[in-house]
Amino acid sequence: MSDRAEPSRQSPSGTSKPAAFDLLHPLLQKQLWRMQWTSLRPLQEQAIERIIGTPGHAIVTAATAAGKTEAAFLPVLSKIAQEPIGSVRVIYVGPLKALINDQFSRVGELCGYLEMPVHPWHGDVTAAEKSKLLAKPGGVLLITPESLESLLVNHPRDLAGLFDGLRFIVVDELHGFLDNERGLHLRSLLLRVRAMGNYTSNVIGLSATIGD
């Protein structure tokens, strides 16, 4: 079962609040219609309204296949749609290469009408593909913690231009980084990255099993 869901233009009956779908960037709306979505799941509606309407960090927690990826990326892509290049705008951190590859396909599809590059970065990505990002930073970077450390260590001269316009950090499988050495490592890496930016980047955590 996929984490996918679909949008609606209808506001709840008897309210003046805009429907979550209407808060999305028009080109992203167009892409969702092309993907034949017909409604948003409640989790996605709540995340769109929260992330677009209120600055700050957020945790999106729900069962597996509840649409967490889209709940995060629909509002995030809408917020950065007008600034696709010039800096990496979003860092997505996933614990596994296989997860990075899956999200590359899903996030790339959401960007169908946006001029928004999506870059995977791990040990199986070619040097030529990595060089494209370094030469023309932009869009979404999908990366593991270990590859993020390698990027910081091996490309120090590129970092200022790479991350100075960073707007969001999305951490998937957040529960896997809590109260352990890998989590402390990731926290250190993200503090270094955020220190390079001209924006205060918001952090969004995704988890199916996080506790209270």
Side-chain angles (χ1 to χ4, degrees):
M1 182 176 179
S2 170
D3 272 9
R4 299 183 185 278
E6 299 91 42
S8 170
R9 290 184 179 273
Q10 300 299 317
S11 298
S13 177
T15 73
S16 59
K17 189 175 183 180
F21 180 70
D22 292 328
L23 298 175
L24 299 176
H25 189 276
L27 292 179
L28 193 53
Q29 294 178 355
K30 186 176 181 180
Q31 175 63 14
L32 295 182
W33 284 116
R34 184 167 73 175
M35 293 165 64
Q36 299 183 342
W37 289 24
T38 58
S39 65
L40 287 167
R41 296 180 181 180
L43 171 71
Q44 294 162 344
E45 293 178 341
Q46 294 168 15
I48 290 167
E49 292 169 0
R50 167 64 175 80
I51 294 169
I52 289 181
T54 307
H57 308 312
I59 295 177
V60 179
T61 178
T64 300
K68 293 184 295 297
T69 296
E70 288 78 12
F73 273 100
L74 288 173
V76 164
L77 292 173
S78 291
K79 293 280 283 187
I80 64 169
Q82 299 300 322
E83 45 184 7
I85 59 173
S87 165
V88 169
R89 304 298 178 185
V90 183
I91 296 176
Y92 165 94
V93 180
L96 301 171
K97 290 190 292 185
L99 186 57
I100 296 295
N101 292 338
D102 178 66
Q103 301 294 43
F104 174 61
S105 174
R106 293 175 64 177
V107 176
E109 186 176 18
L110 290 177
C111 293
Y113 278 105
L114 301 174
E115 295 181 2
M116 184 70 61
V118 181
H119 303 276
W121 187 298
H122 53 65
D124 295 338
V125 176
T126 66
E129 290 298 318
K130 293 176 179 178
S131 295
K132 290 180 182 179
L133 173 62
L134 298 175
K136 190 176 182 180
V140 182
L141 173 63
L142 310 172
I143 196 165
T144 63
E146 293 74 20
S147 292
L148 180 57
E149 179 177 40
S150 176
L151 173 59
L152 296 178
V153 170
N154 294 321
H155 301 279
R157 296 181 180 179
D158 299 303
L159 297 179
L162 199 60
F163 297 126
D164 64 350
L166 183 68
R167 299 289 301 278
F168 291 95
I169 298 169
V170 178
V171 181
D172 206 349
E173 304 292 341
L174 180 63
H175 55 275
F177 297 107
L178 299 180
D179 300 324
N180 56 44
E181 291 185 1
R182 200 179 189 202
L184 291 173
H185 178 221
L186 177 59
R187 180 179 175 84
S188 174
L189 295 172
L190 295 183
L191 287 172
R192 290 164 63 188
V193 169
R194 295 181 75 200
M196 302 172 194
N198 293 323
Y199 293 94
T200 301
S201 52
N202 294 325
V203 180
I204 302 172
L206 310 181
S207 177
T209 61
I210 196 169
D212 184 352

